[in-house]
Amino acid sequence: MLLLASCTSENTRRHIGISQCSEDIWRDWQNAEMKLEASFHEDVQLSFATAHDDSRRQTQQIDSLVAAGIDLLIVAPNQLQNVSPAIDRTYDSGIPVIVFERKTDSQKFTAFVSADNYEMGRQMGTYIATYIGGRGNIMEVMGLKGSSPAYERHRGFHDAISRYPGIHIVATLQGDWTEETAYKATHQWFANSETADGKRIDVVFGHNDRTAMGARRAFEERGHPLPLFCGIDGLPGEQGGIRQVRDSLLTASYIYPTRGDLLLQLALDILAGKAYDKETLLTSALVTHENANVLYLESEEVVRRSQRLERLQRLASGYLRQLSVQRTVTVLACGVIGLLLIAIVLFYLYHRGQVNIRRERVLNNLWNLNVLPETQEEPPTPKDAAGPETTEDSETPDTPEDTEPTASAIAAMEDSSPFIARFREVVERNMSNSELTVEDLAAEMHLSRVQLYRKVKTITGSSPVELLRTARLNRGHQQLLTTDKTVSEVAYAVGFSSPAYFTKCFKDEFGMVPGEVRK
Ligand code: FRU
């Protein structure tokens, strides 16, 4: 049982490390999707690390994940260059690496998954330019410097805007992907730019929804006429970009798919040695006033479903935990019971051995026998006689309570030496009489036949008939060694009425026939 318990699926366990560059609503969605997906697979362990937009920290975290023995790394590099060495190290050590959504500056990865950030920037540029009729001023709030989506969205956006000579990007701020940084940078812009209050901004393009909303907050606080705000991410849920577009806080967003489910499935395929695409391009779409309502309704349904799934998953994992606890308890209980049983059996065998040794020793002392009688009998019938022929007839199967000498019986033996000595003396004196019966022996002991049987049996564990036969055989044995009597003469001399029966009993007792002893 213990062996079985140790045979869990340790060997098949897949440990996946997820190194996130940031912690925010977008990452939360994605992590939840990965967790949910993992719960559909047995023996998948996920270890999450978040670098809070710090490349050095992410480097350390990746090294730690590798040291912890992960089988595969999923990583969103905070910045293109700084995190690459750690990712390269991981890849070089033979651990598959899935880079997602943000790029490295090396080719050392197993698979790459992302939406097209350049295309998103470009489409957003075209949408905004069209929306404002090809004329106006734009503020761009950039994502973190050195991170690939910031660079690509910027490039796409500029390529689109450059086709509209009436549109000017009058401000480019660092938003670092966070609402707070964008908010502060916008305030700072107002403070720095002498003409800021006079300068009309028609559109703010945040590289994600959070930076667009951060800038919006600063504009509101400044009391500046509100421009249009556009972002990227288009997340579902109450805090997500779809709802912000529906509620006209944003004019447009762009769905930047999280697809944690896909990432995890890809990881498992790679680990299983299945075929997989080295590059996966995720499809995405613009969110505008036209489709925001429908998209939000849809996304609400998605949220409800995933919440229900999560509930189900929690129930299932609680149930599985309970099962595994039960299994462990059962296995332990079985182990303990098994050990107890073994201990009981060993103790019983030891005790039985001890009692037998003691019994043999006591009986030998008292009776001076070389060999203990092994068979025991039921209380005798009135026909029970001490002669060999009748002894044979009177033997009956053992009764359970008679099969083992008890400790009290042994104690009784030790306390009863005068009685046994007297009984031995009576037996030795009369054993040559082949007509001798138990009644005769009992009479000499001044007991009834039944009293004698019980007493002798209790003390020695053997019946009077058995002790008589053993005494006869021992004496026969002795005579064969020390006299010239023939086997027949010895048989008669020790009270056997038939030499053939003497020979049979002798063989049973000593394992050899009398002739062999004589030789
Ligand atoms: C989430 C996020 C998104 C953004 C993406 C860029 O951490 O900041 O808001 O679209 O990363 O990599």
Side-chain angles (χ1 to χ4, degrees), residues 21-24 26-27 53 101-102 117 147 149-150 153 177 207-210 232-233 256:
C21 50
S22 323
E23 187 171 74
D24 49 59
W26 193 90
R27 306 280 158 195
D53 310 300
E101 179 274 306
R102 294 191 191 181
N117 281 292
S147 70
R153 289 175 193 179
W177 301 122
H207 279 192
N208 61 4
D209 293 339
R210 295 194 307 283
I232 287 180
D233 277 350
Y256 192 45

mmCIF file with all atom_site columns, all heavy atoms in Angstrom, residues 21-24 26-27 53 101-102 117 147 149-150 153 177 207-210 232-233 256, ligand 1:
data_model
loop_
_atom_site.group_PDB
_atom_site.id
_atom_site.type_symbol
_atom_site.label_atom_id
_atom_site.label_alt_id
_atom_site.label_comp_id
_atom_site.label_asym_id
_atom_site.label_entity_id
_atom_site.label_seq_id
_atom_site.pdbx_PDB_ins_code
_atom_site.Cartn_x
_atom_site.Cartn_y
_atom_site.Cartn_z
_atom_site.occupancy
_atom_site.B_iso_or_equiv
_atom_site.pdbx_formal_charge
_atom_site.auth_seq_id
_atom_site.auth_comp_id
_atom_site.auth_asym_id
_atom_site.auth_atom_id
_atom_site.pdbx_PDB_model_num
ATOM   1   N N   . CYS A 1 21  ? 6.043  40.304 -17.047 1.00 0.00 ? 21  CYS A N   1
ATOM   2   C CA  . CYS A 1 21  ? 6.799  41.542 -16.870 1.00 0.00 ? 21  CYS A CA  1
ATOM   3   C C   . CYS A 1 21  ? 6.076  42.494 -15.914 1.00 0.00 ? 21  CYS A C   1
ATOM   4   O O   . CYS A 1 21  ? 6.712  43.287 -15.224 1.00 0.00 ? 21  CYS A O   1
ATOM   5   C CB  . CYS A 1 21  ? 6.999  42.210 -18.220 1.00 0.00 ? 21  CYS A CB  1
ATOM   6   S SG  . CYS A 1 21  ? 5.468  42.350 -19.155 1.00 0.00 ? 21  CYS A SG  1
ATOM   7   N N   . SER A 1 22  ? 4.751  42.407 -15.896 1.00 0.00 ? 22  SER A N   1
ATOM   8   C CA  . SER A 1 22  ? 3.982  43.394 -15.120 1.00 0.00 ? 22  SER A CA  1
ATOM   9   C C   . SER A 1 22  ? 2.864  42.701 -14.361 1.00 0.00 ? 22  SER A C   1
ATOM   10  O O   . SER A 1 22  ? 2.591  41.522 -14.553 1.00 0.00 ? 22  SER A O   1
ATOM   11  C CB  . SER A 1 22  ? 3.320  44.420 -16.042 1.00 0.00 ? 22  SER A CB  1
ATOM   12  O OG  . SER A 1 22  ? 4.139  44.735 -17.126 1.00 0.00 ? 22  SER A OG  1
ATOM   13  N N   . GLU A 1 23  ? 2.239  43.513 -13.509 1.00 0.00 ? 23  GLU A N   1
ATOM   14  C CA  . GLU A 1 23  ? 1.043  43.013 -12.833 1.00 0.00 ? 23  GLU A CA  1
ATOM   15  C C   . GLU A 1 23  ? -0.058 44.040 -13.059 1.00 0.00 ? 23  GLU A C   1
ATOM   16  O O   . GLU A 1 23  ? 0.065  45.193 -12.626 1.00 0.00 ? 23  GLU A O   1
ATOM   17  C CB  . GLU A 1 23  ? 1.308  42.845 -11.347 1.00 0.00 ? 23  GLU A CB  1
ATOM   18  C CG  . GLU A 1 23  ? 0.147  42.171 -10.649 1.00 0.00 ? 23  GLU A CG  1
ATOM   19  C CD  . GLU A 1 23  ? 0.515  41.816 -9.230  1.00 0.00 ? 23  GLU A CD  1
ATOM   20  O OE1 . GLU A 1 23  ? 0.584  42.730 -8.403  1.00 0.00 ? 23  GLU A OE1 1
ATOM   21  O OE2 . GLU A 1 23  ? 0.724  40.628 -8.961  1.00 0.00 ? 23  GLU A OE2 1
ATOM   22  N N   . ASP A 1 24  ? -1.074 43.652 -13.775 1.00 0.00 ? 24  ASP A N   1
ATOM   23  C CA  . ASP A 1 24  ? -2.167 44.568 -14.080 1.00 0.00 ? 24  ASP A CA  1
ATOM   24  C C   . ASP A 1 24  ? -3.365 43.748 -14.535 1.00 0.00 ? 24  ASP A C   1
ATOM   25  O O   . ASP A 1 24  ? -3.312 42.518 -14.575 1.00 0.00 ? 24  ASP A O   1
ATOM   26  C CB  . ASP A 1 24  ? -1.736 45.568 -15.176 1.00 0.00 ? 24  ASP A CB  1
ATOM   27  C CG  . ASP A 1 24  ? -1.098 44.861 -16.350 1.00 0.00 ? 24  ASP A CG  1
ATOM   28  O OD1 . ASP A 1 24  ? -1.770 44.009 -16.948 1.00 0.00 ? 24  ASP A OD1 1
ATOM   29  O OD2 . ASP A 1 24  ? 0.086  45.138 -16.667 1.00 0.00 ? 24  ASP A OD2 1
ATOM   30  N N   . TRP A 1 26  ? -4.673 43.269 -17.377 1.00 0.00 ? 26  TRP A N   1
ATOM   31  C CA  . TRP A 1 26  ? -4.456 42.438 -18.574 1.00 0.00 ? 26  TRP A CA  1
ATOM   32  C C   . TRP A 1 26  ? -3.758 41.123 -18.177 1.00 0.00 ? 26  TRP A C   1
ATOM   33  O O   . TRP A 1 26  ? -4.160 40.037 -18.569 1.00 0.00 ? 26  TRP A O   1
ATOM   34  C CB  . TRP A 1 26  ? -3.611 43.211 -19.596 1.00 0.00 ? 26  TRP A CB  1
ATOM   35  C CG  . TRP A 1 26  ? -3.574 42.587 -20.964 1.00 0.00 ? 26  TRP A CG  1
ATOM   36  C CD1 . TRP A 1 26  ? -4.435 42.821 -21.989 1.00 0.00 ? 26  TRP A CD1 1
ATOM   37  C CD2 . TRP A 1 26  ? -2.617 41.632 -21.454 1.00 0.00 ? 26  TRP A CD2 1
ATOM   38  N NE1 . TRP A 1 26  ? -4.096 42.069 -23.083 1.00 0.00 ? 26  TRP A NE1 1
ATOM   39  C CE2 . TRP A 1 26  ? -2.969 41.332 -22.786 1.00 0.00 ? 26  TRP A CE2 1
ATOM   40  C CE3 . TRP A 1 26  ? -1.511 41.006 -20.913 1.00 0.00 ? 26  TRP A CE3 1
ATOM   41  C CZ2 . TRP A 1 26  ? -2.264 40.437 -23.584 1.00 0.00 ? 26  TRP A CZ2 1
ATOM   42  C CZ3 . TRP A 1 26  ? -0.802 40.106 -21.704 1.00 0.00 ? 26  TRP A CZ3 1
ATOM   43  C CH2 . TRP A 1 26  ? -1.176 39.834 -23.017 1.00 0.00 ? 26  TRP A CH2 1
ATOM   44  N N   . ARG A 1 27  ? -2.703 41.238 -17.356 1.00 0.00 ? 27  ARG A N   1
ATOM   45  C CA  . ARG A 1 27  ? -1.966 40.043 -16.905 1.00 0.00 ? 27  ARG A CA  1
ATOM   46  C C   . ARG A 1 27  ? -2.865 39.164 -16.027 1.00 0.00 ? 27  ARG A C   1
ATOM   47  O O   . ARG A 1 27  ? -2.784 37.951 -16.069 1.00 0.00 ? 27  ARG A O   1
ATOM   48  C CB  . ARG A 1 27  ? -0.720 40.438 -16.100 1.00 0.00 ? 27  ARG A CB  1
ATOM   49  C CG  . ARG A 1 27  ? 0.222  41.391 -16.806 1.00 0.00 ? 27  ARG A CG  1
ATOM   50  C CD  . ARG A 1 27  ? 1.112  40.720 -17.805 1.00 0.00 ? 27  ARG A CD  1
ATOM   51  N NE  . ARG A 1 27  ? 1.581  41.716 -18.778 1.00 0.00 ? 27  ARG A NE  1
ATOM   52  C CZ  . ARG A 1 27  ? 2.144  41.441 -19.946 1.00 0.00 ? 27  ARG A CZ  1
ATOM   53  N NH1 . ARG A 1 27  ? 2.345  40.194 -20.312 1.00 0.00 ? 27  ARG A NH1 1
ATOM   54  N NH2 . ARG A 1 27  ? 2.503  42.395 -20.763 1.00 0.00 ? 27  ARG A NH2 1
ATOM   55  N N   . ASP A 1 53  ? 7.398  45.478 -13.940 1.00 0.00 ? 53  ASP A N   1
ATOM   56  C CA  . ASP A 1 53  ? 8.019  46.365 -14.944 1.00 0.00 ? 53  ASP A CA  1
ATOM   57  C C   . ASP A 1 53  ? 9.502  46.621 -14.691 1.00 0.00 ? 53  ASP A C   1
ATOM   58  O O   . ASP A 1 53  ? 10.021 47.676 -15.076 1.00 0.00 ? 53  ASP A O   1
ATOM   59  C CB  . ASP A 1 53  ? 7.263  47.713 -15.010 1.00 0.00 ? 53  ASP A CB  1
ATOM   60  C CG  . ASP A 1 53  ? 5.768  47.516 -15.153 1.00 0.00 ? 53  ASP A CG  1
ATOM   61  O OD1 . ASP A 1 53  ? 5.362  46.894 -16.145 1.00 0.00 ? 53  ASP A OD1 1
ATOM   62  O OD2 . ASP A 1 53  ? 5.014  47.949 -14.257 1.00 0.00 ? 53  ASP A OD2 1
ATOM   63  N N   . GLU A 1 101 ? 3.874  37.903 -26.726 1.00 0.00 ? 101 GLU A N   1
ATOM   64  C CA  . GLU A 1 101 ? 3.366  39.270 -26.710 1.00 0.00 ? 101 GLU A CA  1
ATOM   65  C C   . GLU A 1 101 ? 4.460  40.344 -26.720 1.00 0.00 ? 101 GLU A C   1
ATOM   66  O O   . GLU A 1 101 ? 4.338  41.340 -27.396 1.00 0.00 ? 101 GLU A O   1
ATOM   67  C CB  . GLU A 1 101 ? 2.404  39.350 -25.513 1.00 0.00 ? 101 GLU A CB  1
ATOM   68  C CG  . GLU A 1 101 ? 1.716  40.602 -25.179 1.00 0.00 ? 101 GLU A CG  1
ATOM   69  C CD  . GLU A 1 101 ? 2.514  41.534 -24.301 1.00 0.00 ? 101 GLU A CD  1
ATOM   70  O OE1 . GLU A 1 101 ? 2.985  41.124 -23.218 1.00 0.00 ? 101 GLU A OE1 1
ATOM   71  O OE2 . GLU A 1 101 ? 2.651  42.691 -24.720 1.00 0.00 ? 101 GLU A OE2 1
ATOM   72  N N   . ARG A 1 102 ? 5.562  40.149 -26.004 1.00 0.00 ? 102 ARG A N   1
ATOM   73  C CA  . ARG A 1 102 ? 6.686  41.084 -26.102 1.00 0.00 ? 102 ARG A CA  1
ATOM   74  C C   . ARG A 1 102 ? 7.904  40.299 -26.589 1.00 0.00 ? 102 ARG A C   1
ATOM   75  O O   . ARG A 1 102 ? 8.114  39.170 -26.157 1.00 0.00 ? 102 ARG A O   1
ATOM   76  C CB  . ARG A 1 102 ? 7.001  41.722 -24.750 1.00 0.00 ? 102 ARG A CB  1
ATOM   77  C CG  . ARG A 1 102 ? 5.880  42.622 -24.246 1.00 0.00 ? 102 ARG A CG  1
ATOM   78  C CD  . ARG A 1 102 ? 6.327  43.443 -23.047 1.00 0.00 ? 102 ARG A CD  1
ATOM   79  N NE  . ARG A 1 102 ? 5.175  44.091 -22.430 1.00 0.00 ? 102 ARG A NE  1
ATOM   80  C CZ  . ARG A 1 102 ? 5.252  44.893 -21.380 1.00 0.00 ? 102 ARG A CZ  1
ATOM   81  N NH1 . ARG A 1 102 ? 6.420  45.146 -20.827 1.00 0.00 ? 102 ARG A NH1 1
ATOM   82  N NH2 . ARG A 1 102 ? 4.171  45.447 -20.864 1.00 0.00 ? 102 ARG A NH2 1
ATOM   83  N N   . ASN A 1 117 ? 1.416  43.946 -33.193 1.00 0.00 ? 117 ASN A N   1
ATOM   84  C CA  . ASN A 1 117 ? 1.402  45.266 -32.556 1.00 0.00 ? 117 ASN A CA  1
ATOM   85  C C   . ASN A 1 117 ? 1.568  46.414 -33.558 1.00 0.00 ? 117 ASN A C   1
ATOM   86  O O   . ASN A 1 117 ? 0.967  47.480 -33.395 1.00 0.00 ? 117 ASN A O   1
ATOM   87  C CB  . ASN A 1 117 ? 2.487  45.335 -31.476 1.00 0.00 ? 117 ASN A CB  1
ATOM   88  C CG  . ASN A 1 117 ? 2.039  44.653 -30.207 1.00 0.00 ? 117 ASN A CG  1
ATOM   89  O OD1 . ASN A 1 117 ? 1.141  45.127 -29.525 1.00 0.00 ? 117 ASN A OD1 1
ATOM   90  N ND2 . ASN A 1 117 ? 2.629  43.509 -29.890 1.00 0.00 ? 117 ASN A ND2 1
ATOM   91  N N   . SER A 1 147 ? 10.348 48.250 -24.695 1.00 0.00 ? 147 SER A N   1
ATOM   92  C CA  . SER A 1 147 ? 9.497  47.062 -24.815 1.00 0.00 ? 147 SER A CA  1
ATOM   93  C C   . SER A 1 147 ? 8.943  47.020 -26.235 1.00 0.00 ? 147 SER A C   1
ATOM   94  O O   . SER A 1 147 ? 8.542  48.045 -26.792 1.00 0.00 ? 147 SER A O   1
ATOM   95  C CB  . SER A 1 147 ? 8.376  47.071 -23.769 1.00 0.00 ? 147 SER A CB  1
ATOM   96  O OG  . SER A 1 147 ? 7.444  48.067 -24.050 1.00 0.00 ? 147 SER A OG  1
ATOM   97  N N   . PRO A 1 149 ? 6.181  46.050 -27.861 1.00 0.00 ? 149 PRO A N   1
ATOM   98  C CA  . PRO A 1 149 ? 4.884  46.555 -28.320 1.00 0.00 ? 149 PRO A CA  1
ATOM   99  C C   . PRO A 1 149 ? 4.856  48.085 -28.406 1.00 0.00 ? 149 PRO A C   1
ATOM   100 O O   . PRO A 1 149 ? 4.214  48.651 -29.295 1.00 0.00 ? 149 PRO A O   1
ATOM   101 C CB  . PRO A 1 149 ? 3.895  46.044 -27.264 1.00 0.00 ? 149 PRO A CB  1
ATOM   102 C CG  . PRO A 1 149 ? 4.584  44.884 -26.640 1.00 0.00 ? 149 PRO A CG  1
ATOM   103 C CD  . PRO A 1 149 ? 6.035  45.227 -26.646 1.00 0.00 ? 149 PRO A CD  1
ATOM   104 N N   . ALA A 1 150 ? 5.572  48.734 -27.485 1.00 0.00 ? 150 ALA A N   1
ATOM   105 C CA  . ALA A 1 150 ? 5.600  50.201 -27.502 1.00 0.00 ? 150 ALA A CA  1
ATOM   106 C C   . ALA A 1 150 ? 6.224  50.680 -28.813 1.00 0.00 ? 150 ALA A C   1
ATOM   107 O O   . ALA A 1 150 ? 5.694  51.565 -29.502 1.00 0.00 ? 150 ALA A O   1
ATOM   108 C CB  . ALA A 1 150 ? 6.392  50.737 -26.308 1.00 0.00 ? 150 ALA A CB  1
ATOM   109 N N   . ARG A 1 153 ? 3.844  49.601 -31.862 1.00 0.00 ? 153 ARG A N   1
ATOM   110 C CA  . ARG A 1 153 ? 2.599  50.380 -31.935 1.00 0.00 ? 153 ARG A CA  1
ATOM   111 C C   . ARG A 1 153 ? 2.916  51.815 -32.400 1.00 0.00 ? 153 ARG A C   1
ATOM   112 O O   . ARG A 1 153 ? 2.177  52.400 -33.182 1.00 0.00 ? 153 ARG A O   1
ATOM   113 C CB  . ARG A 1 153 ? 1.900  50.389 -30.565 1.00 0.00 ? 153 ARG A CB  1
ATOM   114 C CG  . ARG A 1 153 ? 1.304  49.036 -30.227 1.00 0.00 ? 153 ARG A CG  1
ATOM   115 C CD  . ARG A 1 153 ? 0.716  48.967 -28.828 1.00 0.00 ? 153 ARG A CD  1
ATOM   116 N NE  . ARG A 1 153 ? 0.442  47.572 -28.482 1.00 0.00 ? 153 ARG A NE  1
ATOM   117 C CZ  . ARG A 1 153 ? -0.059 47.163 -27.328 1.00 0.00 ? 153 ARG A CZ  1
ATOM   118 N NH1 . ARG A 1 153 ? -0.346 48.032 -26.386 1.00 0.00 ? 153 ARG A NH1 1
ATOM   119 N NH2 . ARG A 1 153 ? -0.290 45.882 -27.119 1.00 0.00 ? 153 ARG A NH2 1
ATOM   120 N N   . TRP A 1 177 ? 3.183  51.981 -19.732 1.00 0.00 ? 177 TRP A N   1
ATOM   121 C CA  . TRP A 1 177 ? 2.083  51.002 -19.640 1.00 0.00 ? 177 TRP A CA  1
ATOM   122 C C   . TRP A 1 177 ? 1.204  51.177 -18.419 1.00 0.00 ? 177 TRP A C   1
ATOM   123 O O   . TRP A 1 177 ? 0.260  50.422 -18.231 1.00 0.00 ? 177 TRP A O   1
ATOM   124 C CB  . TRP A 1 177 ? 2.597  49.554 -19.640 1.00 0.00 ? 177 TRP A CB  1
ATOM   125 C CG  . TRP A 1 177 ? 3.406  49.126 -20.825 1.00 0.00 ? 177 TRP A CG  1
ATOM   126 C CD1 . TRP A 1 177 ? 4.667  48.652 -20.821 1.00 0.00 ? 177 TRP A CD1 1
ATOM   127 C CD2 . TRP A 1 177 ? 2.992  49.105 -22.196 1.00 0.00 ? 177 TRP A CD2 1
ATOM   128 N NE1 . TRP A 1 177 ? 5.083  48.337 -22.088 1.00 0.00 ? 177 TRP A NE1 1
ATOM   129 C CE2 . TRP A 1 177 ? 4.069  48.610 -22.955 1.00 0.00 ? 177 TRP A CE2 1
ATOM   130 C CE3 . TRP A 1 177 ? 1.818  49.480 -22.873 1.00 0.00 ? 177 TRP A CE3 1
ATOM   131 C CZ2 . TRP A 1 177 ? 4.031  48.455 -24.340 1.00 0.00 ? 177 TRP A CZ2 1
ATOM   132 C CZ3 . TRP A 1 177 ? 1.768  49.319 -24.243 1.00 0.00 ? 177 TRP A CZ3 1
ATOM   133 C CH2 . TRP A 1 177 ? 2.877  48.807 -24.959 1.00 0.00 ? 177 TRP A CH2 1
ATOM   134 N N   . HIS A 1 207 ? -0.874 53.981 -25.636 1.00 0.00 ? 207 HIS A N   1
ATOM   135 C CA  . HIS A 1 207 ? -0.487 52.667 -26.175 1.00 0.00 ? 207 HIS A CA  1
ATOM   136 C C   . HIS A 1 207 ? -1.264 51.521 -25.540 1.00 0.00 ? 207 HIS A C   1
ATOM   137 O O   . HIS A 1 207 ? -1.257 50.405 -26.051 1.00 0.00 ? 207 HIS A O   1
ATOM   138 C CB  . HIS A 1 207 ? 1.025  52.456 -25.996 1.00 0.00 ? 207 HIS A CB  1
ATOM   139 C CG  . HIS A 1 207 ? 1.834  53.131 -27.062 1.00 0.00 ? 207 HIS A CG  1
ATOM   140 N ND1 . HIS A 1 207 ? 3.177  52.902 -27.260 1.00 0.00 ? 207 HIS A ND1 1
ATOM   141 C CD2 . HIS A 1 207 ? 1.488  54.061 -28.005 1.00 0.00 ? 207 HIS A CD2 1
ATOM   142 C CE1 . HIS A 1 207 ? 3.623  53.625 -28.278 1.00 0.00 ? 207 HIS A CE1 1
ATOM   143 N NE2 . HIS A 1 207 ? 2.605  54.353 -28.735 1.00 0.00 ? 207 HIS A NE2 1
ATOM   144 N N   . ASN A 1 208 ? -1.878 51.790 -24.412 1.00 0.00 ? 208 ASN A N   1
ATOM   145 C CA  . ASN A 1 208 ? -2.888 50.841 -23.901 1.00 0.00 ? 208 ASN A CA  1
ATOM   146 C C   . ASN A 1 208 ? -4.017 51.648 -23.259 1.00 0.00 ? 208 ASN A C   1
ATOM   147 O O   . ASN A 1 208 ? -3.911 52.875 -23.110 1.00 0.00 ? 208 ASN A O   1
ATOM   148 C CB  . ASN A 1 208 ? -2.265 49.808 -22.952 1.00 0.00 ? 208 ASN A CB  1
ATOM   149 C CG  . ASN A 1 208 ? -1.625 50.430 -21.720 1.00 0.00 ? 208 ASN A CG  1
ATOM   150 O OD1 . ASN A 1 208 ? -1.712 51.642 -21.524 1.00 0.00 ? 208 ASN A OD1 1
ATOM   151 N ND2 . ASN A 1 208 ? -0.996 49.616 -20.902 1.00 0.00 ? 208 ASN A ND2 1
ATOM   152 N N   . ASP A 1 209 ? -5.077 50.931 -22.899 1.00 0.00 ? 209 ASP A N   1
ATOM   153 C CA  . ASP A 1 209 ? -6.256 51.633 -22.361 1.00 0.00 ? 209 ASP A CA  1
ATOM   154 C C   . ASP A 1 209 ? -5.943 52.329 -21.047 1.00 0.00 ? 209 ASP A C   1
ATOM   155 O O   . ASP A 1 209 ? -6.470 53.397 -20.748 1.00 0.00 ? 209 ASP A O   1
ATOM   156 C CB  . ASP A 1 209 ? -7.413 50.631 -22.164 1.00 0.00 ? 209 ASP A CB  1
ATOM   157 C CG  . ASP A 1 209 ? -7.920 50.091 -23.502 1.00 0.00 ? 209 ASP A CG  1
ATOM   158 O OD1 . ASP A 1 209 ? -7.692 50.751 -24.531 1.00 0.00 ? 209 ASP A OD1 1
ATOM   159 O OD2 . ASP A 1 209 ? -8.531 48.996 -23.501 1.00 0.00 ? 209 ASP A OD2 1
ATOM   160 N N   . ARG A 1 210 ? -5.081 51.663 -20.248 1.00 0.00 ? 210 ARG A N   1
ATOM   161 C CA  . ARG A 1 210 ? -4.798 52.251 -18.928 1.00 0.00 ? 210 ARG A CA  1
ATOM   162 C C   . ARG A 1 210 ? -4.100 53.600 -19.072 1.00 0.00 ? 210 ARG A C   1
ATOM   163 O O   . ARG A 1 210 ? -4.408 54.561 -18.352 1.00 0.00 ? 210 ARG A O   1
ATOM   164 C CB  . ARG A 1 210 ? -3.933 51.292 -18.094 1.00 0.00 ? 210 ARG A CB  1
ATOM   165 C CG  . ARG A 1 210 ? -4.646 49.999 -17.743 1.00 0.00 ? 210 ARG A CG  1
ATOM   166 C CD  . ARG A 1 210 ? -3.924 49.230 -16.661 1.00 0.00 ? 210 ARG A CD  1
ATOM   167 N NE  . ARG A 1 210 ? -2.521 49.005 -16.954 1.00 0.00 ? 210 ARG A NE  1
ATOM   168 C CZ  . ARG A 1 210 ? -2.061 48.100 -17.791 1.00 0.00 ? 210 ARG A CZ  1
ATOM   169 N NH1 . ARG A 1 210 ? -2.925 47.325 -18.444 1.00 0.00 ? 210 ARG A NH1 1
ATOM   170 N NH2 . ARG A 1 210 ? -0.781 47.949 -17.994 1.00 0.00 ? 210 ARG A NH2 1
ATOM   171 N N   . ILE A 1 232 ? -5.460 50.744 -26.333 1.00 0.00 ? 232 ILE A N   1
ATOM   172 C CA  . ILE A 1 232 ? -5.352 49.369 -26.837 1.00 0.00 ? 232 ILE A CA  1
ATOM   173 C C   . ILE A 1 232 ? -5.468 48.431 -25.641 1.00 0.00 ? 232 ILE A C   1
ATOM   174 O O   . ILE A 1 232 ? -4.969 48.764 -24.561 1.00 0.00 ? 232 ILE A O   1
ATOM   175 C CB  . ILE A 1 232 ? -3.993 49.146 -27.561 1.00 0.00 ? 232 ILE A CB  1
ATOM   176 C CG1 . ILE A 1 232 ? -4.003 49.861 -28.915 1.00 0.00 ? 232 ILE A CG1 1
ATOM   177 C CG2 . ILE A 1 232 ? -3.697 47.658 -27.743 1.00 0.00 ? 232 ILE A CG2 1
ATOM   178 C CD1 . ILE A 1 232 ? -2.737 49.720 -29.731 1.00 0.00 ? 232 ILE A CD1 1
ATOM   179 N N   . ASP A 1 233 ? -6.093 47.353 -25.844 1.00 0.00 ? 233 ASP A N   1
ATOM   180 C CA  . ASP A 1 233 ? -6.269 46.198 -24.921 1.00 0.00 ? 233 ASP A CA  1
ATOM   181 C C   . ASP A 1 233 ? -7.682 45.655 -25.069 1.00 0.00 ? 233 ASP A C   1
ATOM   182 O O   . ASP A 1 233 ? -7.850 44.447 -25.170 1.00 0.00 ? 233 ASP A O   1
ATOM   183 C CB  . ASP A 1 233 ? -6.000 46.499 -23.441 1.00 0.00 ? 233 ASP A CB  1
ATOM   184 C CG  . ASP A 1 233 ? -4.507 46.425 -23.104 1.00 0.00 ? 233 ASP A CG  1
ATOM   185 O OD1 . ASP A 1 233 ? -3.748 45.954 -23.966 1.00 0.00 ? 233 ASP A OD1 1
ATOM   186 O OD2 . ASP A 1 233 ? -4.106 46.843 -22.003 1.00 0.00 ? 233 ASP A OD2 1
ATOM   187 N N   . TYR A 1 256 ? -6.502 43.375 -27.543 1.00 0.00 ? 256 TYR A N   1
ATOM   188 C CA  . TYR A 1 256 ? -5.170 42.755 -27.505 1.00 0.00 ? 256 TYR A CA  1
ATOM   189 C C   . TYR A 1 256 ? -5.359 41.421 -26.780 1.00 0.00 ? 256 TYR A C   1
ATOM   190 O O   . TYR A 1 256 ? -5.402 41.379 -25.539 1.00 0.00 ? 256 TYR A O   1
ATOM   191 C CB  . TYR A 1 256 ? -4.203 43.674 -26.746 1.00 0.00 ? 256 TYR A CB  1
ATOM   192 C CG  . TYR A 1 256 ? -2.744 43.301 -26.886 1.00 0.00 ? 256 TYR A CG  1
ATOM   193 C CD1 . TYR A 1 256 ? -2.181 42.962 -28.116 1.00 0.00 ? 256 TYR A CD1 1
ATOM   194 C CD2 . TYR A 1 256 ? -1.895 43.313 -25.776 1.00 0.00 ? 256 TYR A CD2 1
ATOM   195 C CE1 . TYR A 1 256 ? -0.841 42.652 -28.232 1.00 0.00 ? 256 TYR A CE1 1
ATOM   196 C CE2 . TYR A 1 256 ? -0.545 43.004 -25.891 1.00 0.00 ? 256 TYR A CE2 1
ATOM   197 C CZ  . TYR A 1 256 ? -0.022 42.660 -27.127 1.00 0.00 ? 256 TYR A CZ  1
ATOM   198 O OH  . TYR A 1 256 ? 1.309  42.349 -27.249 1.00 0.00 ? 256 TYR A OH  1
HETATM 199 C C1  . FRU B 2 .   ? -0.112 44.527 -19.850 1.00 0.00 ? 1   FRU B C1  1
HETATM 200 C C2  . FRU B 2 .   ? 0.232  45.460 -20.896 1.00 0.00 ? 1   FRU B C2  1
HETATM 201 C C3  . FRU B 2 .   ? -0.945 45.768 -21.777 1.00 0.00 ? 1   FRU B C3  1
HETATM 202 C C4  . FRU B 2 .   ? -0.286 46.136 -23.005 1.00 0.00 ? 1   FRU B C4  1
HETATM 203 C C5  . FRU B 2 .   ? 0.799  45.151 -23.056 1.00 0.00 ? 1   FRU B C5  1
HETATM 204 C C6  . FRU B 2 .   ? 1.966  45.536 -23.839 1.00 0.00 ? 1   FRU B C6  1
HETATM 205 O O1  . FRU B 2 .   ? 0.948  44.305 -18.990 1.00 0.00 ? 1   FRU B O1  1
HETATM 206 O O2  . FRU B 2 .   ? 0.761  46.628 -20.340 1.00 0.00 ? 1   FRU B O2  1
HETATM 207 O O3  . FRU B 2 .   ? -1.759 46.734 -21.233 1.00 0.00 ? 1   FRU B O3  1
HETATM 208 O O4  . FRU B 2 .   ? -1.121 46.118 -24.091 1.00 0.00 ? 1   FRU B O4  1
HETATM 209 O O5  . FRU B 2 .   ? 1.190  44.911 -21.753 1.00 0.00 ? 1   FRU B O5  1
HETATM 210 O O6  . FRU B 2 .   ? 2.972  44.594 -23.738 1.00 0.00 ? 1   FRU B O6  1
#
